[in-house]
Every structure is written in structure tokens, then in C-alpha cells.
């Protein structure tokens, strides 16, 4: 996502998601033959920001929501409609100052966000099951339940003591991204306005990587700088991933990866999971009035937490912006597919997956919420990929990487 506020991430998703789902629904219809194939696949998305919605007063994962109505993109009914078996549910913490008080606050925030995920599972064990090992996914899907792996986007809340990662591992976290929009104590970000600070991983970041390798936690290089990516790839004892990224050859954005690094990632067994966040797919036409209005709305969302009344007000304000200054140049499903097909052309179906950034600003015209993901399966079939290749893309590759990281776990002493 571009800018995120300092309160739960669902508010930033409200900024990014466009209210154009009605037209996209018709475009996203797939024939029954394709849906039958899609339903046979084990489907995982490696970047679900939906835990931010879970934290909103009056919002339920059990109820079907409408992206046109409240801008959310994932809930249980829509997961069932779209045939999404589950994925990695993110603990996202906005980047803040590095003083001790701010770090303590971030740690507490991240722990509570993890608790929200665990509460979702505990409240509905008939539909949601925590997964902590690669082998759990197939079993849970076979039971007709949704798979909940846990991840951490931005290692900032780990503070300055890497042993804290054990706490999150015990909670269920199996994937951690080192940085977000700004440099932090562990690594350089791809998008810090000041540029790099550490020249890649910091000394503390190297310690964190070693601890993650010891625990079998997958290192995630999305949002990190190219030099951080290089350090992770060079130093990690197990394969790394990009949980929600794109291809620089299609759109030259700092959040995207170039082909040489993509090949290096594949050579070490890693995987790029292609995202659907519009700002990373292609350049947007200037729309200064809309951007000014969005900045003003963004400025109103800087308090921690959000009541239902506050969210209703923000939704109304967002709808008015859409009415006054329509987002006519929104990236499309075809723009997303250009990145996916390019990555497949460069490194093949053994090293590419799906991480759409749902509820974190992902979604494109023609694929506005999780109910529309069968369109990806259809597009891959149309491009000539076989069902066994698509099975790797949807889950096989990330599960292989997770298993490889598990294999690195040192025996208990």
C-alpha cells in the first residue's frame, strides 16, 4: 500500500479500494468447468490484512460484506464463494519512532493484533483452524475449514531484543517481513524518502534473521530495499519469499523486484507472491483534486482504534470523494496479470505465487474482492498453464518454502 495511518490498517484499505465492484463482478464470472478446477486446488494467499477488519467494532468475519458498501474484501462467505482456502493473516504494525516508549507500544499493539486473530479462530473452530506447519494446510482444507497461518508485516514491534520473536512464534507466526514504508531498527525499506540507512540489514537485522532461521520462520523481503533483499538472500539458511510484490520490468517501482533478483530468488528456492495493489502495477494518471481530498481524509484517521460510528463517517466521506473526483484510471485485472505472467515467464511456475494484499489496499478493477479470485485460475488456464502448475502457484510453492524453513529448526537443547 502507499501511505498507511497509525491506527488499524483497515482504514487505509478504505482509502485505496475503489467502489467499482458491480461492473467487475460480471467480468469476473468464470465457467463451471473452470470453477471445478479452481475448487480442486488448495488455494492460499500470503498476504491478508483482514485482521485489521477484525478489530473494527461491529464488523464480523462471519457475515458477507460488500466492497461497495464498506470497502472490506475478505470474509468467510466471500472466501467460500471465491474458493480461497486460507492464507497468511498479517499482524501489521505501522512504523513509528525507535524510542523505548514507542517500541513498547508497538509490541503491545502487535500482540493484541495477534490475539484478535486467535480469537477469530477460537470463536469459530468449525470454520477456522490455526496452521503452524506446512503439512497442516491440506488436512484443514480436506475438512472444509479455512486455513489460518499467521504472519507479521513489519518487524518493528520486535523492539531491540530479537528474542521477542519467540513470543510471536509461540503465538503461531511463521512468516515475518523485516521493514515497511520506512527504515527501522532491522532493515532498510524500499520506500523511505530518506533512502537507505543501513545499506541493507542492520546488525540487529542479521541477528533477527538468524533467530528466524533457528525457529523455522520464513523471511519475507516485501517492502524491504533491494540491498536488504540481497542480504536476506545471501545470509538466510533457508529460502525466502516476497509475500506481496510485483515485477520491476512491468512497472519500475521501488516496491517491485528486477528480473536479475527474481532469478536469484528462484535459484535459492524462493518464491515471489504477486500482489494486486494498483500503485505497484502501473503508473497512475495525475488526479490532484482527488489526491488532495484523500490526503485530508487520511489526516482524519490518525487515532488508534475505530468505532462503528467513526468508520461509518469515514465511509461516507470516502463515497463523497468518489462522487466528486472519480478514480477513472484504476489499474485492471489485466494489469495484475501482466506482473503474474511476467514472473512466470522469468522463473517458471515453481517460484511464483499469489499474495494480493486484500484489506490492505489490494484489488483491481475486475477483481475487487476475494470472491473474484477464480478469475486468476481461468487466466492461467487461458495462458496455457496446466492444473498441476496452477496448484503450485496457488499453494504448492509457498508450502514448499515453509517446509524448507521448518527443516532448518535446530533440535531442542
Amino acid at each position: 500500500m502507499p501511505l498507511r495511518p497509525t491506527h488499524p490498517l483497515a482504514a487505509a484499505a478504505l482509502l485505496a479500494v475503489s467502489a467499482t465492484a458491480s461492473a467487475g463482478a460480471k467480468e469476473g464470472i468464470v465457467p463451471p468447468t473452470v470453477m471445478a478446477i479452481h475448487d480442486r486446488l488448495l488455494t492460499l494467499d500470503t498476504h491478508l490484512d483482514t485482521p485489521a477488519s477484525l478489530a473494527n467494532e461491529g464488523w464480523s468475519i462471519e457475515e458477507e460484506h460488500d466492497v461497495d458498501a464498506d470497502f472490506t474484501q475478505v470474509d468467510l462467505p466471500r472466501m467460500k464463494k471465491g474458493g480461497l482456502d486460507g492464507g497468511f493473516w498479517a499482524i501489521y504494525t505501522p512504523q513509528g519512532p525507535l524510542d523505548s516508549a514507542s517500541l513498547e507500544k508497538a509490541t503491545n499493539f502487535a500482540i493484541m493484533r495477534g490475539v484478535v486473530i486467535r480469537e477469530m479462530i477460537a470463536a469459530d473452530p468449525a470454520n477456522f483452524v490455526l496452521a503452524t506447519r506446512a503439512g497442516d494446510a491440506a488436512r484443514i482444507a480436506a475438512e472444509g475449514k479455512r486455513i489460518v497461518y499467521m504472519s507479521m508485516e513489519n518487524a518493528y514491534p520486535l523492539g531491540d531484543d530479537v528474542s521477542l520473536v519467540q513470543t510471536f512464534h509461540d503465538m503461531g507466526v511463521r512468516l515475518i517481513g523485516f521493514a515497511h514504508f520506512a527504515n527501522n531498527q532491522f532493515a532498510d525499506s524500499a520506500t523511505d524518502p530518506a533512502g537507505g540507512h543501513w545499506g541493507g540489514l542492520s546488525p540487529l537485522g542479521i541477528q533477527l534473521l538468524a533467530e528466524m532461521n533457528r525457529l523455522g520462520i520464513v523471511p519475507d523481503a516485501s517492502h524491504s530495499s533491494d540491498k536488504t533483499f540481497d542480504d536476506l538472500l545471501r545470509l538466510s539458511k533457508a529460502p525466502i519469499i516476497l509475500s506481496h510484490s510485483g515485477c520491476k520490468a512491468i512497472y519500475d517501482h521501488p516496491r517491485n523486484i528486477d528480473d536479475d533478483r527474481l532469478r536469484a530468488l528462484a535459484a535459492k528456492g524462493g518464491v515471489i507472491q504477486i500482489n494486486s495493489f494498483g500503485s505497484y502495477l502501473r503508473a497512475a494518471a495525475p488526479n490532484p483534486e482527488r489526491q488532495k481530498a484523500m490526503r485530508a481524509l487520511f489526516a482524519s484517521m490518525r487515532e488508534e482504534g475505530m468505532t462503528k460510528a467513526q468508520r461509518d463517517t469515514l465511509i461516507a466521506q470516502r463515497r463523497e470523494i468518489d462522487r466528486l473526483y472519480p478514480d477513472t484510471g484504476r489499474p485492471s485485472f489485466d494489469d495484475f496479470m501482466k506482473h503474474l505472467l511476467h514472473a512466470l515467464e522469468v522463473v517458471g511456475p515453481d517460484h511464483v505465487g499469489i499474495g494480493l494484499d486484500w484489506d490492505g489496499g489490494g484489488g483491481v478493477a475486475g477483481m475487487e474482492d476475494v470472491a473474484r479470485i477464480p478469475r486468476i485460475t481461468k487466466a492461467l488456464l487461458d495462458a496455457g498453464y496446466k492444473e498441476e502448475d496452477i496448484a503450485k502457484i496457488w499453494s504448492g510453492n509457498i508450502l514448499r518454502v515453509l517446509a524448507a524453513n521448518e527443516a532448518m529448526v535446530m533440535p531442542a537443547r
Side-chain angles (χ1 to χ4, degrees), residues 8 48 55 122 124 132 215 231 264 292 296 300 311 337 343 371 384 389 406:
L48 301 172
D124 187 4
T132 59
L215 293 170
D231 283 348
K292 181 180 178 181
S300 71
R311 181 169 174 79
M337 285 303 302
D389 292 328
E406 289 171 8

Side-chain angles (χ1 to χ4, degrees), residues 162 185-186 198 201-209:
V162 298
Q185 68 271 40
F186 298 111
W198 303 104
L201 287 175
S202 72
L204 194 63
I206 294 172
Q207 292 179 37
L208 175 59
L209 175 61

Side-chain angles (χ1 to χ4, degrees), residues 35-85:
M35 199 65 206
I37 292 171
H38 183 78
D39 285 341
R40 286 199 296 267
L41 301 171
L42 173 56
T43 53
L44 297 174
D45 186 305
T46 50
H47 197 73
L48 301 172
D49 274 316
T50 307
S53 295
L54 298 174
N56 284 336
E57 180 183 79
W59 193 93
S60 172
I61 192 78
E62 306 288 339
E63 300 172 2
E64 183 169 358
H65 302 265
D66 185 342
V67 68
D68 281 340
D70 71 359
F71 299 95
T72 65
Q73 297 170 299
V74 178
D75 52 46
L76 180 59
R78 283 184 288 180
M79 290 178 76
K80 291 180 177 179
K81 283 185 176 181
L84 182 66
D85 291 309

